[in-house]
Amino acid sequence: MKPTDTADPDYFHKVVDCQWACPAHTPVPDYIRLIAQGRFTDAYMVNRRSNVFPGILGRVCDRPCEPACRRGRVEDEPVAICRLKRVAADHKDEVADKLPRAPIAQNGKKIALIGAGPASLTVANDLAPLGYDCTVFEALEKPGGLMISNIPSFRLPERVLDEEIGYILDMGVKLKTGHRIDSLKALLDEGYDAVFVGSGAPKGKELNLPGRQEADANIHIGISWLESVAFDHVKSIGKRVLIIGVGNTAMDCCRTSLRLGADEVKVMARKPREFFKASPWELEDAEEENVEIVVNHSPKAFVIEDGKLVGMTFEIMEYDTDERGRITDTRVVGEKTIPCDDVILAIGQENAFPWIERDLGIEFDKWDVPVVDETTFESTRKGVFFGGDSAFGPKNIIWAVEHGHQAAISIDKHCQGLDVSERLPRGLNLETAKMGHNEWAYSNGYDPSQRRQMTHVELAKRFKDLDTEVELGFDPQQTAVEVERCLNCDVQTVFTASACTECDACIDICPVNCLTITPNGEEADLRQRLSAPADNLDQDLFVSEDLPNTGRVMVKDEDLCLHCGLCAERCPTAAWDMALSEIFLPHADDEAAERARRRAAE
């Protein structure tokens, strides 16, 4: 194999998996170390730079980082990354004086942002400090998009939303609530220099089965129903409720139903549990509240008696799967009618753009969704950008945030007359973590503790008030244990081949057998000749330059490495070092600063 450059961002992104699994690339180990030091405000600010909404995402993020956490390779559960974000948010000091401010003199460019969801708010967050006049148009009476309308307050309190959205509005961003955009052409005619569309995927999918029209009064579209609950238009539900669908919206619908008076709530799933779209922890929370999840039931018809909904008929399904878990055959083995008073449909969301005229130069694909560049987020009309669910369909908040960061770069470049596709490259800085003899700038011991369990409000108290937050956050003792479970994946083991004497000291002391000195070769062969065979092909190997004495190579399996630093402590020639890694991922302010630097140098 070719030697590996540990200063290469492409290699690093295979090492710090949690940071690269996060769409916004939040520097997870960095803020966890700050929390361990009790520096909650600093940890919050590190989070905010990338994900903008630490308090919000610390409660409701879909956690793409956690399946990639390397702690999950040495035991069952990853580090509670999401919940540690909340720790920083809950315990920070006042941060208003630490946030960027809009300059007194603006740059004369006006930006319209459609929808006050996470994507639009992120664009405003990035552009307002650069002098842009940002106006956000929101159809609802409060900002937040799906964060206010579709996530129940028992998961995400409104005070948390108000605080973090307030930080952005305080930068001078204008917000027009109750202001639905009915014509993009009319908005463009108002003379905005760029338009960003962050209107989400506001249309819930229908289920057109026999009886649907007759039972309309008691059949609800999930996202619309949650919005009605959030704005106090709906305050009750029937005693027996069926939820159709098994995604995260379905989990919010079933738990909200219990708080509005339902006695019996069933979530009806067409397929077995391994095919569910809902996050495992959301399923667990629903079942803890005695929601019944019924698998292998496919909706067939709504049952009507005397013009009223009384139940639903389902076909009972069986599935065959192959060795990869994919369904190979489906059959109906029976039929069952389940009584109910109300049905909530949570089977997906769709984009809806009836307000975008089709003669504006914006190309739509076969699904009637705008064609959007995946790097610049620009549509086929110059100056019109899309992000969040409106760009590529429903994903989650952290994806919308990253879309906002990237779209802000493009909008800035567009307004400055520059090529939106030319962007600063990402980079990587390495700095030794050595503080003294066998002393490092991070906690390098391995803590065998299992993942801490979140404390919840007791069951009897949850349903008295729709606004009672169920999760209470980590207490100080839980936090102290959880932060030590992090394996410091941003601390690189840097190896200098020319200094190695092949004494095997590092190999002898390595607690997990991740190091091997061996002749180089093809990757498949090399992986089987290591101290512990490297079977995870998704994880790159570190392979050094040829060693000076024998021409062999030092190989390290990152899949096993604990980043404990014992190799560097034991090495008599300092061939090994532990180096803190910092990824540079440019935002709009970085691009603006680079432009200013170049102008000054001219």
Side-chain angles (χ1 to χ4, degrees):
M1 289 181 67
K2 292 181 179 180
T4 307
D5 181 2
T6 55
D8 180 358
D10 287 327
Y11 171 70
F12 184 63
H13 111 243
K14 290 290 188 75
V15 178
V16 190
D17 293 327
C18 55
Q19 181 164 351
W20 286 91
C22 171
H25 306 301
T26 302
V28 174
D30 191 10
Y31 81 74
I32 288 179
R33 279 194 293 273
L34 291 169
I35 292 173
Q37 298 166 16
R39 297 167 58 187
F40 300 113
T41 303
D42 291 339
Y44 181 86
M45 295 306 296
V46 165
N47 260 289
R48 194 186 183 281
R49 169 69 180 171
S50 55
N51 71 33
V52 183
F53 307 106
I56 294 168
L57 287 164
R59 288 167 166 82
V60 300
C61 188
D62 278 354
R63 312 178 192 177
C65 54
E66 292 190 9
C69 173
R70 293 170 71 252
R71 185 79 185 203
R73 303 181 194 179
V74 297
E75 60 188 43
D76 291 339
E77 293 288 344
V79 175
I81 296 170
C82 178
R83 284 162 171 168
L84 288 175
K85 281 190 180 70
R86 175 178 172 175
V87 168
D90 286 353
H91 296 285
K92 71 183 185 306
D93 297 324
E94 178 56 52
V95 299
D97 61 339
K98 299 180 182 296
L99 298 174
R101 298 178 182 273
I104 295 175
Q106 293 187 318
N107 63 13
K109 302 295 184 179
K110 296 189 341 180
I111 312 300
L113 302 109
I114 302 174
S120 292
L121 291 170
T122 299
V123 174
N125 175 80
D126 288 6
L127 293 182
L130 299 181
Y132 288 91
D133 181 357
C134 298
T135 302
V136 182
F137 298 92
E138 172 54 53
L140 300 177
E141 296 303 320
K142 295 179 181 179
L146 67 86
M147 298 186 296
I148 185 71
S149 65
N150 282 182
I151 301 178
S153 53
F154 58 82
R155 290 182 58 214
L156 179 57
E158 194 169 333
R159 60 177 172 77
V160 178
L161 273 166
D162 290 344
E163 179 184 48
E164 297 198 321
I165 294 174
Y167 291 149
I168 298 171
L169 299 180
D170 289 345
M171 294 177 187
V173 174
K174 299 170 186 174
L175 173 65
K176 295 187 177 182
T177 56
H179 194 123
R180 184 180 299 276
I181 299 299
D182 294 317
S183 167
L184 180 58
K185 183 179 187 302
L187 185 68
L188 291 169
D189 288 343
E190 293 182 26
Y192 287 97
D193 295 281
V195 173
F196 177 81
V197 180
S199 55
K203 183 180 179 182
K205 290 185 178 180
E206 259 290 358
L207 190 61
N208 292 311
L209 297 175
R212 172 65 180 92
Q213 298 306 315
E214 297 90 327
D216 182 65
N218 295 95
I219 299 175
H220 318 281
I221 303 297
I223 59 172
S224 300
W225 182 77
L226 286 170
E227 178 184 312
S228 296
V229 173
F231 287 89
D232 293 326
H233 302 312
V234 169
K235 297 183 179 180
S236 63
I237 193 80
K239 294 299 181 183
R240 300 171 301 177
V241 180
L242 298 181
I243 313 294
I244 310 302
V246 70
N248 288 339
T249 297
M251 297 303 103
D252 288 336
C253 289
C254 68
R255 297 179 70 193
T256 299
S257 297
L258 292 170
R259 287 155 174 80
L260 294 187
D263 292 332
E264 181 183 285
V265 180
K266 290 182 170 67
V267 173
M268 310 302 297
R270 291 181 60 247
K271 296 179 181 178
R273 195 178 185 106
E274 58 266 30
F275 295 96
F276 289 2
K277 293 183 178 180
S279 302
W281 52 90
E282 296 212 32
L283 291 165
E284 291 168 6
D285 288 344
E287 290 179 316
E288 183 183 356
E289 295 179 358
N290 297 316
V291 171
E292 182 182 356
I293 299 177
V294 183
V295 301
N296 297 353
H297 279 56
S298 180
K300 183 179 181 181
F302 298 97
V303 180
I304 312 298
E305 290 183 4
D306 299 325
K308 182 179 179 181
L309 176 73
V310 296
M312 276 194 76
T313 299
F314 296 86
E315 293 178 330
I316 301 174
M317 311 298 296
E318 278 189 358
Y319 300 91
D320 294 331
T321 57
D322 61 18
E323 65 279 358
R324 293 172 133 190
R326 298 175 301 188
I327 292 175
T328 58
D329 191 29
T330 304
R331 55 192 169 275
V332 177
V333 296
E335 190 172 289
K336 184 177 182 179
T337 297
I338 299 178
C340 66
D341 302 307
D342 283 275
V343 171
I344 301 175
L345 304 178
I347 54 176
Q349 297 168 234
E350 297 175 324
N351 299 100
F353 299 104
W355 50 277
I356 297 181
E357 293 84 354
R358 296 315 193 252
D359 60 352
L360 298 178
I362 297 175
E363 182 182 342
F364 285 74
D365 63 19
K366 63 182 180 181
W367 295 283
D368 205 31
V369 174
V371 175
V372 178
D373 186 282
E374 294 187 12
T375 300
T376 67
F377 293 87
E378 189 171 35
S379 70
T380 52
R381 175 175 173 135
K382 297 289 186 183
V384 178
F385 302 83
F386 289 75
D389 293 352
S390 67
F392 304 112
K395 288 192 175 181
N396 51 46
I397 297 172
I398 194 63
W399 272 105
V401 168
E402 176 57 10
H403 291 178
H405 284 315
Q406 297 305 316
I409 293 174
S410 298
I411 292 171
D412 174 49
K413 286 181 171 293
H414 167 78
C415 290
Q416 301 303 320
L418 302 173
D419 186 344
V420 298
S421 63
E422 290 187 3
R423 306 162 99 82
L424 286 174
R426 66 192 185 197
L428 178 68
N429 296 317
L430 293 173
E431 181 179 354
T432 183
K434 196 169 186 63
M435 302 289 287
H437 183 64
N438 294 343
E439 183 181 2
W440 305 101
Y442 68 101
S443 177
N444 66 331
Y446 175 74
D447 189 321
S449 300
Q450 296 293 306
R451 181 181 171 115
R452 301 297 89 185
Q453 296 300 310
M454 177 66 70
T455 303
H456 289 177
V457 169
E458 60 184 90
L459 206 57
K461 294 181 179 179
R462 293 186 197 179
F463 310 116
K464 295 179 180 179
D465 187 340
L466 190 62
D467 296 331
T468 298
E469 188 173 13
V470 173
E471 292 191 349
L472 299 178
F474 280 158
D475 62 30
Q477 191 275 332
Q478 289 176 308
T479 300
V481 173
E482 194 62 36
V483 293
E484 291 300 324
R485 297 183 67 242
C486 178
L487 297 181
N488 301 293
C489 296
D490 65 337
V491 179
Q492 288 279 58
T493 46
V494 177
F495 181 72
T496 304
S498 60
C500 180
T501 61
E502 303 182 46
C503 67
D504 285 354
C506 57
I507 293 173
D508 291 342
I509 201 170
C510 179
V512 290
N513 295 323
C514 73
L515 301 176
T516 307
I517 297 178
T518 184
N520 206 344
E522 295 296 324
E523 180 176 354
D525 173 56
L526 190 60
R527 283 180 175 271
Q528 297 307 311
R529 289 191 279 110
L530 305 183
S531 300
D535 295 324
N536 181 8
L537 301 183
D538 292 330
Q539 177 65 68
D540 281 359
L541 296 175
F542 167 82
V543 181
S544 75
E545 299 280 355
D546 291 350
L547 302 179
N549 290 345
T550 66
R552 296 184 297 171
V553 291
M554 177 72 73
V555 183
K556 181 163 80 79
D557 181 3
E558 285 288 357
D559 205 44
L560 297 175
C561 182
L562 299 175
H563 297 234
C564 64
L566 290 176
C567 55
E569 291 181 14
R570 184 71 177 271
C571 180
T573 64
W576 285 106
D577 187 23
M578 307 302 294
L580 290 169
S581 307
E582 180 185 3
I583 299 176
F584 172 67
L585 293 159
H587 289 179
D589 58 349
D590 297 306
E591 296 273 359
E594 177 63 15
R595 284 202 305 273
R597 187 193 67 77
R598 290 176 180 173
R599 288 182 189 135
E602 291 175 352

